[in-house]
Structure formats: structure tokens, C-alpha cells
Amino acid sequence: MKKIILILAFCLTLIPSFADEYENARYEHLFEEKNALNNQAIITDNGNVICKGNVIKAVFECKFKSECHHAGDDIDFIIQDAIYTKEGTLLIPRNSKLCATIVKIKKQKMPNKNARVYFHFKGLETPDGCVYEISAKPNTKDNSLKEGPWMTAGKLTLSTLGLGIIGAGAGTGFAFIPNPAKLGVGFAIGIPVGCGVGLIAGLITPGLKYHAKAGEEICIVLCDNLILDKQCEECY
């Protein structure tokens, strides 16, 4: 038992203390973002650290189409607004650039499954040329980017209305053949049938590709501490 205690004591002496690594360290707090697991930052004389679990907002630098890219492609994002702590410390200046690599693209498929794009964010470059390593991913349920429920609902609505109009026209045409007085009956039959077929067609067709406009905003979550040393690296 004594030997175990001595070994543990020796191992503890090998671990550098927090004060040795970070001079005059103190905790500050980022403005809380939705679904963030953390909002702490470590402020030191040697540099700052944005803790794992914080959420950062960024925008696409250029428009993005999932069908035009492949796994391994690099995509650039921009942090448009400077990131400060609540206490007033600047952590990341505005117009800093994030570099992300496409890890995987799941193409859209039946029935009505939207395409999904998985990114790994690996580099952060500030306007003054400092470059830092970063490990982050989209802050979504499965860490992918895809078209939202409103776009999917819009696809189903267009399909339903489109075939509903065709059904209405067909029903009206059939009503005119025997008797123009049956016009209302034609509408009553054609519209529900067309809409029903349209809804079914919308549900069983492939989902949407993922498209994003330049300037479209996303949120990313840090997978590890983001260390912003005063002596920045030259490249990532």
C-alpha cells in the first residue's frame, strides 16, 4: 500500500500545475448560444482558450451544392462578427476564416430522404495572419448539414398542388363531356385525387440536395479546446 502511495505521489509531481502552464489564468464566459454545452473561456497572459463545447457561428464564404462536391474537399467559412466574452475580452476578430473538410456526403434517396453533408473544421485564420488548429463540427443532432423541414415541406406542397391542379383540369374535362352542369362534380373528384397522388409522389421520391447560399449561417460546436496562443502557428 505504501509503495502505491509513493508511486502516485511521484506521478503527481510530474504533472505541471495549471498556474505553470497559464500565467494569471481566469475564467470568463461567452454569450450563450443555443444548445451549447459550455460557455467558458480561459483568459491568460500567454493567450486565451475557448473551452470544448462552446458554439460558434459562421457563414459559407461561397455558395455550396452537395452534388458538386466530394469527400475530401475543403470549404471555407467566415466568422462575420467578432467573438467577445461577456466580460469584454476579444477572442476571435471579425472576418476570421474557418477551413473545413468534407468528411462524407450522403446523397438524397427514397423515400424523401434529404442529402446530408458532414464537415470537420480543422483551421482558423485571423485577419492578421495568425493560424490555429481547431477541431469542430456542425452543431446539429447528427452533426450534419441538410435542408431544413421548411424546405422539405415546400417540396411536398409543390408536388401536392402541382398534381392537384392537373387533377382538377382532368376532372373538369371529364365533366364537360357528358354534361357541362357536372363541372362542380369534376372539380370535386379531380382535385382530391390529384392532391392525393401529388402527396404520395412527394413522399416516395428522393429527398432534397443540400444547397447553401454565400453568407448562409451555420453553428459549429468545438470538439476540443481552441487554444489561441499569442505566438500563432504559421500554417495548418
Side-chain angles (χ1 to χ4, degrees):
M1 186 66 181
K2 289 183 179 180
K3 288 184 178 180
I4 295 175
I5 294 174
L6 289 173
I7 291 172
L8 288 174
F10 175 76
C11 290
L12 288 173
T13 62
L14 299 178
I15 301 174
S17 68
F18 187 84
D20 291 336
E21 186 174 357
Y22 298 105
E23 297 179 9
N24 300 323
R26 68 183 185 277
Y27 281 100
E28 293 189 3
H29 305 85
L30 277 72
F31 292 90
E32 295 180 13
E33 298 290 348
K34 184 178 180 181
N35 298 326
L37 300 176
N38 198 345
N39 74 329
Q40 290 187 329
I42 303 170
I43 310 303
T44 78
D45 292 344
N46 299 328
N48 303 320
V49 178
I50 304 178
C51 297
K52 173 183 177 180
N54 272 288
V55 170
I56 295 173
K57 291 182 178 179
V59 301
F60 280 89
E61 185 177 45
C62 302
K63 64 181 180 181
F64 179 88
K65 294 184 177 181
S66 61
E67 68 270 28
C68 298
H69 292 278
H70 304 87
D73 290 350
D74 286 339
I75 306 296
D76 289 331
F77 295 78
I78 302 295
I79 298 176
Q80 288 187 319
D81 299 321
I83 298 177
Y84 286 89
T85 64
K86 292 180 180 180
E87 292 78 5
T89 301
L90 174 63
L91 298 175
I92 301 177
R94 66 187 301 270
N95 293 328
S96 294
K97 182 179 290 188
L98 286 167
C99 180
T101 298
I102 298 175
V103 177
K104 185 177 182 179
I105 297 179
K106 285 187 177 180
K107 295 183 178 180
Q108 74 278 16
K109 59 183 180 180
M110 296 175 60
N112 201 36
K113 296 289 186 181
N114 294 342
R116 299 177 183 226
V117 185
Y118 296 84
F119 289 96
H120 174 69
F121 290 79
K122 60 180 183 178
L124 168 68
E125 181 178 0
T126 58
D128 60 0
C130 281
V131 180
Y132 307 97
E133 289 186 1
I134 185 174
S135 179
K137 56 191 176 183
N139 188 36
T140 60
K141 185 178 293 186
D142 66 346
N143 302 125
S144 72
L145 295 179
K146 61 181 179 178
E147 294 293 358
W150 287 109
M151 292 294 292
T152 304
K155 169 181 176 285
L156 293 176
T157 300
L158 287 175
S159 177
T160 302
L161 291 178
L163 288 183
I165 292 170
I166 294 173
T172 303
F174 284 121
F176 266 118
I177 294 174
N179 187 345
K182 296 182 179 179
L183 187 62
V185 176
F187 274 121
I189 295 174
I191 292 176
V193 171
C195 288
V197 173
L199 178 60
I200 293 171
L203 288 171
I204 64 174
T205 54
L208 298 171
K209 300 171 183 176
Y210 178 64
H211 291 173
K213 299 177 182 178
E216 185 169 324
E217 186 177 81
I218 66 166
C219 291
I220 64 172
V221 59
L222 295 181
C223 303
D224 204 348
N225 290 345
L226 172 54
I227 301 173
L228 304 167
D229 290 330
K230 289 185 177 179
Q231 294 182 345
C232 57
E233 299 178 17
E234 294 182 357
C235 60
Y236 53 81

PDB file of all heavy atoms in Angstrom, residues 148-160:
ATOM      1  N   GLY A 148     -33.618  22.030 -44.237  1.00  0.00           N
ATOM      2  CA  GLY A 148     -34.484  22.015 -43.071  1.00  0.00           C
ATOM      3  C   GLY A 148     -35.887  21.540 -43.378  1.00  0.00           C
ATOM      4  O   GLY A 148     -36.257  21.303 -44.536  1.00  0.00           O
ATOM      5  N   PRO A 149     -36.724  21.401 -42.350  1.00  0.00           N
ATOM      6  CA  PRO A 149     -38.093  20.899 -42.523  1.00  0.00           C
ATOM      7  C   PRO A 149     -38.961  21.802 -43.395  1.00  0.00           C
ATOM      8  O   PRO A 149     -39.854  21.317 -44.078  1.00  0.00           O
ATOM      9  CB  PRO A 149     -38.631  20.829 -41.090  1.00  0.00           C
ATOM     10  CG  PRO A 149     -37.738  21.726 -40.289  1.00  0.00           C
ATOM     11  CD  PRO A 149     -36.400  21.664 -40.935  1.00  0.00           C
ATOM     12  N   TRP A 150     -38.678  23.124 -43.402  1.00  0.00           N
ATOM     13  CA  TRP A 150     -39.496  24.013 -44.229  1.00  0.00           C
ATOM     14  C   TRP A 150     -39.265  23.749 -45.707  1.00  0.00           C
ATOM     15  O   TRP A 150     -40.211  23.790 -46.514  1.00  0.00           O
ATOM     16  CB  TRP A 150     -39.182  25.474 -43.903  1.00  0.00           C
ATOM     17  CG  TRP A 150     -39.733  25.907 -42.585  1.00  0.00           C
ATOM     18  CD1 TRP A 150     -39.052  26.179 -41.433  1.00  0.00           C
ATOM     19  CD2 TRP A 150     -41.125  26.111 -42.260  1.00  0.00           C
ATOM     20  NE1 TRP A 150     -39.899  26.527 -40.420  1.00  0.00           N
ATOM     21  CE2 TRP A 150     -41.188  26.498 -40.889  1.00  0.00           C
ATOM     22  CE3 TRP A 150     -42.306  26.001 -42.988  1.00  0.00           C
ATOM     23  CZ2 TRP A 150     -42.385  26.780 -40.248  1.00  0.00           C
ATOM     24  CZ3 TRP A 150     -43.508  26.278 -42.345  1.00  0.00           C
ATOM     25  CH2 TRP A 150     -43.537  26.661 -41.000  1.00  0.00           C
ATOM     26  N   MET A 151     -38.008  23.492 -46.099  1.00  0.00           N
ATOM     27  CA  MET A 151     -37.720  23.183 -47.499  1.00  0.00           C
ATOM     28  C   MET A 151     -38.353  21.855 -47.894  1.00  0.00           C
ATOM     29  O   MET A 151     -38.892  21.709 -48.987  1.00  0.00           O
ATOM     30  CB  MET A 151     -36.207  23.135 -47.719  1.00  0.00           C
ATOM     31  CG  MET A 151     -35.519  24.475 -47.583  1.00  0.00           C
ATOM     32  SD  MET A 151     -36.012  25.653 -48.870  1.00  0.00           S
ATOM     33  CE  MET A 151     -35.281  24.880 -50.311  1.00  0.00           C
ATOM     34  N   THR A 152     -38.294  20.887 -46.992  1.00  0.00           N
ATOM     35  CA  THR A 152     -38.916  19.583 -47.274  1.00  0.00           C
ATOM     36  C   THR A 152     -40.429  19.724 -47.404  1.00  0.00           C
ATOM     37  O   THR A 152     -41.048  19.141 -48.305  1.00  0.00           O
ATOM     38  CB  THR A 152     -38.574  18.587 -46.145  1.00  0.00           C
ATOM     39  OG1 THR A 152     -37.159  18.508 -45.999  1.00  0.00           O
ATOM     40  CG2 THR A 152     -39.135  17.210 -46.456  1.00  0.00           C
ATOM     41  N   ALA A 153     -41.032  20.509 -46.497  1.00  0.00           N
ATOM     42  CA  ALA A 153     -42.475  20.743 -46.576  1.00  0.00           C
ATOM     43  C   ALA A 153     -42.841  21.457 -47.864  1.00  0.00           C
ATOM     44  O   ALA A 153     -43.874  21.178 -48.483  1.00  0.00           O
ATOM     45  CB  ALA A 153     -42.929  21.559 -45.366  1.00  0.00           C
ATOM     46  N   GLY A 154     -41.985  22.386 -48.292  1.00  0.00           N
ATOM     47  CA  GLY A 154     -42.237  23.096 -49.547  1.00  0.00           C
ATOM     48  C   GLY A 154     -42.222  22.158 -50.736  1.00  0.00           C
ATOM     49  O   GLY A 154     -43.037  22.295 -51.664  1.00  0.00           O
ATOM     50  N   LYS A 155     -41.296  21.187 -50.731  1.00  0.00           N
ATOM     51  CA  LYS A 155     -41.248  20.201 -51.811  1.00  0.00           C
ATOM     52  C   LYS A 155     -42.546  19.401 -51.880  1.00  0.00           C
ATOM     53  O   LYS A 155     -43.119  19.187 -52.954  1.00  0.00           O
ATOM     54  CB  LYS A 155     -40.060  19.265 -51.590  1.00  0.00           C
ATOM     55  CG  LYS A 155     -40.021  18.027 -52.496  1.00  0.00           C
ATOM     56  CD  LYS A 155     -38.810  17.183 -52.160  1.00  0.00           C
ATOM     57  CE  LYS A 155     -38.795  15.895 -52.963  1.00  0.00           C
ATOM     58  NZ  LYS A 155     -39.768  14.915 -52.458  1.00  0.00           N
ATOM     59  N   LEU A 156     -43.029  18.956 -50.721  1.00  0.00           N
ATOM     60  CA  LEU A 156     -44.274  18.188 -50.688  1.00  0.00           C
ATOM     61  C   LEU A 156     -45.462  19.049 -51.123  1.00  0.00           C
ATOM     62  O   LEU A 156     -46.355  18.577 -51.833  1.00  0.00           O
ATOM     63  CB  LEU A 156     -44.515  17.648 -49.274  1.00  0.00           C
ATOM     64  CG  LEU A 156     -43.525  16.592 -48.771  1.00  0.00           C
ATOM     65  CD1 LEU A 156     -43.839  16.221 -47.331  1.00  0.00           C
ATOM     66  CD2 LEU A 156     -43.563  15.358 -49.657  1.00  0.00           C
ATOM     67  N   THR A 157     -45.459  20.317 -50.709  1.00  0.00           N
ATOM     68  CA  THR A 157     -46.562  21.208 -51.078  1.00  0.00           C
ATOM     69  C   THR A 157     -46.609  21.428 -52.584  1.00  0.00           C
ATOM     70  O   THR A 157     -47.682  21.383 -53.200  1.00  0.00           O
ATOM     71  CB  THR A 157     -46.411  22.567 -50.363  1.00  0.00           C
ATOM     72  OG1 THR A 157     -46.430  22.342 -48.959  1.00  0.00           O
ATOM     73  CG2 THR A 157     -47.544  23.513 -50.732  1.00  0.00           C
ATOM     74  N   LEU A 158     -45.444  21.665 -53.190  1.00  0.00           N
ATOM     75  CA  LEU A 158     -45.401  21.874 -54.639  1.00  0.00           C
ATOM     76  C   LEU A 158     -45.869  20.635 -55.389  1.00  0.00           C
ATOM     77  O   LEU A 158     -46.597  20.730 -56.380  1.00  0.00           O
ATOM     78  CB  LEU A 158     -43.981  22.239 -55.074  1.00  0.00           C
ATOM     79  CG  LEU A 158     -43.507  23.643 -54.696  1.00  0.00           C
ATOM     80  CD1 LEU A 158     -42.034  23.828 -55.075  1.00  0.00           C
ATOM     81  CD2 LEU A 158     -44.362  24.697 -55.409  1.00  0.00           C
ATOM     82  N   SER A 159     -45.425  19.472 -54.930  1.00  0.00           N
ATOM     83  CA  SER A 159     -45.847  18.233 -55.569  1.00  0.00           C
ATOM     84  C   SER A 159     -47.351  18.039 -55.441  1.00  0.00           C
ATOM     85  O   SER A 159     -48.042  17.677 -56.396  1.00  0.00           O
ATOM     86  CB  SER A 159     -45.105  17.044 -54.948  1.00  0.00           C
ATOM     87  OG  SER A 159     -45.546  15.828 -55.494  1.00  0.00           O
ATOM     88  N   THR A 160     -47.885  18.314 -54.233  1.00  0.00           N
ATOM     89  CA  THR A 160     -49.317  18.141 -53.986  1.00  0.00           C
ATOM     90  C   THR A 160     -50.147  19.109 -54.818  1.00  0.00           C
ATOM     91  O   THR A 160     -51.119  18.723 -55.478  1.00  0.00           O
ATOM     92  CB  THR A 160     -49.631  18.345 -52.493  1.00  0.00           C
ATOM     93  OG1 THR A 160     -48.856  17.412 -51.731  1.00  0.00           O
ATOM     94  CG2 THR A 160     -51.101  18.118 -52.207  1.00  0.00           C
TER      95      THR A 160
END
